[in-house]
Amino acid sequence: MPQLEDAKCSFLFCLGICIFICSIIYLKTTVFDTPQAKSRILTCRPFPQHCPALGHSRNGTRWQSTECHLEGYFMAPVLNCTQMWSDFHFITRTLSKEEEEYPLAFIITIHKELETFVRLLRAIYAPHNVYCIHVDRKAPEDYKKSVQLLAGCFDNVFLATVSERVTYAGFSRLQADINCMSDLVKSSVRWRKVINLCGQDFPIQSNLELVRYMQSKEWRDRNMTPGIKQPKDKRYRTEFQYVEADDSYVVQHKRGHKKSLPPHNLQIYFGTAYYSLTRAFVQFVLESPVAKDFLEWSKDTFSPDEHYWVTLNHIKDAPGSHLNGGWEGDIRAIKWKDQEGTTHNGCKGHYIRDICIYSIEDIPWIINKQSMFANKFGIETFPDALHCLEQWHRLKVLQQAAVPIQPSWHLAHEVDTSQCCNNTAGLKSNLLFLS
Ligand SMILES: *[C@@H]1O[C@H](CO)[C@@H](O)[C@H](O)[C@H]1NC(C)=O
Ligand SMILES: *[C@@H]1O[C@H](CO)[C@@H](O)[C@H](O)[C@H]1NC(C)=O
Ligand SMILES: *[C@@H]1O[C@H](CO)[C@@H](O)[C@H](O)[C@H]1NC(C)=O
């Protein structure tokens, strides 16, 4: 009898949901306390059903992602790389000639959240680019091991040979980038520009779009270091001496103890720590006495990465310099707290150190910005935002590809949910994983 069958279906469906909810409550109060269990469950979370970037899904279908395991995966003693590329949807082919002819180098500084890193890496990965990963020396051993294991599956991904204990706003943050640059100039990849990223960044542009942007009339052969002449209210950063304390913050060295003037009569600029730099400029940074003296002088300043690149980029002799450059360059979409109501309509997630950690409702603003990257994302707090942007980004990348698409390159697929029993089966398989 069809009615009876329907009732049975509905009953099973409700039962499935009840068991699911109860399990979640149970896990939340018990197992969730251990960090390992937490990450294991988080990585199997369902795909957000209202991802504003993707529009409305067709009637009776929803997106489902295909991976349910991550942290544990990279704890294995050895990895089958072919399997890993496929399991994590890495695009291991160059997607166009245009991209191949303009290799990029990336510096990524990370210290936590392996899952976020994997998502970032697979979004920017291309086999002809090169990636230097700087893992904070303070990071836990198994985190480093996992990153090492992952990097071991690629010829063009490596860990920085010298790694720093990175302090927020400290010199170590700048030194980390420079360590990677020393490694990158020795790489066999003929990269044209280097871009730096932190673990909480995520791309908005595809690799192809980045390549086109880097080659546009405005930026070809030119470094992008958004910033201006140091304003009065930032002078304290280079006027007094600072030291890194307890590996976690920076304090003024001696009250009232002033620093000497910058070497070579350099005019100090203030800007973002993010850049895209030409290879010739990187050589200049590593070799020129001006850059080296300035680096030495910057060691006891506050947040030197926010003045070092932009100041050097205003030196006439520096290759690719931008003497009358200001804030130009769509390098990052960031919602600063003090720009609420001017550049953005408020943070839908929450602010940490006056920077918005995006929630899924911030996605339309991010996409609209068309910047190279957006900052910041936190998989622990707002996983859906990253999930949603990632899927949008991947669909765009695949759409632009000039080669046939491999099935494993899809991060998620649309599944039919119009029938009750299939859905229950889906919930059941989630439950199996959770238990
Ligand atoms: C989805 O189904 C509803 C109700 O049957 C219908 O009104 C709506 O137009 C459908 N939407 C799409 C996109 O097919
Ligand atoms: C690795 O995985 C691939 C794809 O699943 C498989 O074909 C291959 O045999 C595996 N290699 C080893 C050494 O296990
Ligand atoms: C749902 O189940 C029916 C029969 O049980 C099957 O024919 C159909 O393909 C399934 N749909 C999906 C999306 O798995």
Side-chain angles (χ1 to χ4, degrees):
M1 282 193 119
Q3 271 160 334
L4 198 65
E5 280 300 303
D6 277 359
K8 216 162 123 189
C9 266
S10 310
F11 174 71
L12 280 178
F13 179 61
C14 291
L15 191 68
I17 290 198
C18 287
I19 295 176
F20 183 67
I21 292 171
C22 290
S23 306
I24 291 285
I25 292 169
Y26 171 73
L27 285 167
K28 253 206 151 97
T29 50
T30 56
V31 203
F32 259 48
D33 291 342
T34 74
Q36 252 178 352
K38 193 171 166 189
S39 50
R40 199 160 54 90
I41 289 155
L42 282 175
T43 52
C44 197
R45 74 182 75 80
F47 194 83
Q49 286 317 298
H50 301 287
C51 174
L54 302 177
H56 291 287
S57 51
R58 284 179 285 128
N59 268 348
T61 72
R62 63 184 187 83
W63 288 99
Q64 192 168 61
S65 39
T66 43
E67 71 218 2
C68 266
H69 45 279
L70 198 141
E71 312 267 332
Y73 200 102
F74 295 100
M75 301 286 271
V78 283
L79 216 55
N80 178 337
C81 291
T82 318
Q83 189 65 47
M84 190 278 285
W85 296 333
S86 160
D87 286 348
F88 291 104
H89 317 288
F90 275 92
I91 298 178
T92 48
R93 299 262 166 85
T94 296
L95 298 182
S96 68
K97 202 164 159 41
E98 196 176 338
E99 291 167 82
E100 188 169 23
E101 285 169 354
Y102 201 90
L104 297 171
F106 290 87
I107 293 172
I108 312 171
T109 46
I110 50 172
H111 64 284
K112 58 169 188 185
E113 291 190 3
L114 186 65
E115 180 179 349
T116 322
F117 170 63
V118 174
R119 290 177 191 277
L120 170 63
L121 183 64
R122 74 176 171 198
I124 58 171
Y125 183 79
H128 57 273
N129 289 340
V130 60
Y131 304 83
C132 177
I133 318 298
H134 182 280
V135 183
D136 196 323
R137 196 136 47 91
K138 303 194 294 292
E141 260 333 290
D142 31 335
Y143 179 79
K144 281 186 227 172
K145 271 197 198 131
S146 298
V147 176
Q148 188 88 59
L149 198 63
L150 172 65
C153 280
F154 303 94
D155 289 338
N156 56 340
V157 180
F158 63 88
L159 269 67
T161 40
V162 181
S163 123
E164 306 291 326
R165 302 176 73 89
V166 178
T167 300
Y168 184 80
F171 179 76
S172 48
R173 173 69 193 75
L174 175 59
Q175 186 65 51
D177 274 24
I178 292 180
N179 293 354
C180 264
M181 286 178 180
S182 305
D183 290 334
L184 284 169
V185 292
K186 291 177 204 140
S187 156
S188 59
V189 176
R190 310 287 309 146
W191 56 270
R192 307 287 291 271
K193 288 210 174 161
V194 62
I195 292 170
N196 65 343
L197 298 165
C198 74
Q200 288 180 298
D201 289 317
F202 201 82
I204 304 176
Q205 295 190 6
S206 64
N207 191 71
L208 180 65
E209 288 165 342
L210 287 177
V211 162
R212 287 184 179 160
Y213 189 43
M214 293 292 100
Q215 293 193 90
S216 63
K217 212 169 122 217
E218 194 182 359
W219 296 112
R220 194 187 305 154
D221 306 320
R222 185 179 267 170
N223 309 304
M224 190 190 292
T225 60
I228 49 172
K229 271 186 190 159
Q230 189 182 52
K232 271 204 181 100
D233 67 340
K234 302 287 182 209
R235 240 178 238 170
Y236 69 92
R237 293 168 161 236
T238 53
E239 225 169 36
F240 300 98
Q241 288 187 309
Y242 294 83
V243 284
E244 299 187 1
D246 298 340
D247 279 340
S248 54
Y249 56 95
V250 171
V251 289
Q252 205 163 311
H253 190 244
K254 269 184 197 156
R255 211 168 179 80
H257 190 265
K258 279 199 167 187
K259 274 183 69 61
S260 59
L261 289 175
H264 306 278
N265 284 325
L266 289 173
Q267 154 87 53
I268 303 292
Y269 281 71
F270 162 78
T272 77
Y274 297 112
Y275 53 68
S276 96
L277 308 173
T278 65
R279 195 174 179 128
F281 183 83
V282 170
Q283 295 282 4
F284 171 84
V285 165
L286 296 174
E287 289 160 16
S288 95
V290 177
K292 284 188 189 170
D293 293 345
F294 187 44
L295 187 67
E296 192 59 37
W297 181 86
S298 296
K299 276 188 174 158
D300 55 2
T301 59
F302 182 88
S303 206
D305 52 349
E306 289 178 324
H307 74 240
Y308 187 71
W309 309 110
V310 62
T311 298
L312 289 183
N313 199 25
H314 282 85
I315 296 178
K316 203 161 137 263
D317 295 337
S321 62
H322 198 188
L323 297 186
N324 36 28
W327 290 109
E328 304 90 348
D330 297 321
I331 208 152
R332 281 297 179 288
I334 299 178
K335 284 187 174 178
W336 292 96
K337 195 172 185 179
D338 62 358
Q339 290 175 359
E340 221 177 274
T342 54
T343 65
H344 65 89
N345 51 352
C347 174
K348 316 290 182 208
H350 62 226
Y351 289 109
I352 292 187
R353 288 180 174 135
D354 292 345
I355 293 179
C356 181
I357 312 291
Y358 297 122
S359 92
I360 197 162
E361 286 141 63
D362 291 302
I363 301 289
W365 179 85
I366 294 170
I367 289 176
N368 201 32
K369 281 284 281 181
Q370 295 283 312
S371 301
M372 292 162 67
F373 298 87
N375 170 288
K376 299 177 166 190
F377 293 92
I379 200 86
E380 303 280 344
T381 39
F382 299 106
D384 283 358
L386 198 59
H387 233 95
C388 171
L389 187 65
E390 180 182 41
Q391 170 67 356
W392 170 81
H393 181 266
R394 178 59 63 102
L395 288 175
K396 173 164 76 165
V397 168
L398 297 181
Q399 234 163 40
Q400 293 172 349
V403 300
I405 305 301
Q406 293 180 7
S408 71
W409 295 351
H410 289 282
L411 296 180
H413 51 263
E414 279 182 287
V415 292
D416 192 349
T417 54
S418 53
Q419 287 151 321
C420 68
C421 297
N422 304 50
N423 211 9
T424 319
L427 286 171
K428 264 194 201 137
S429 68
N430 269 346
L431 272 179
L432 278 180
F433 172 75
L434 290 170
S435 53

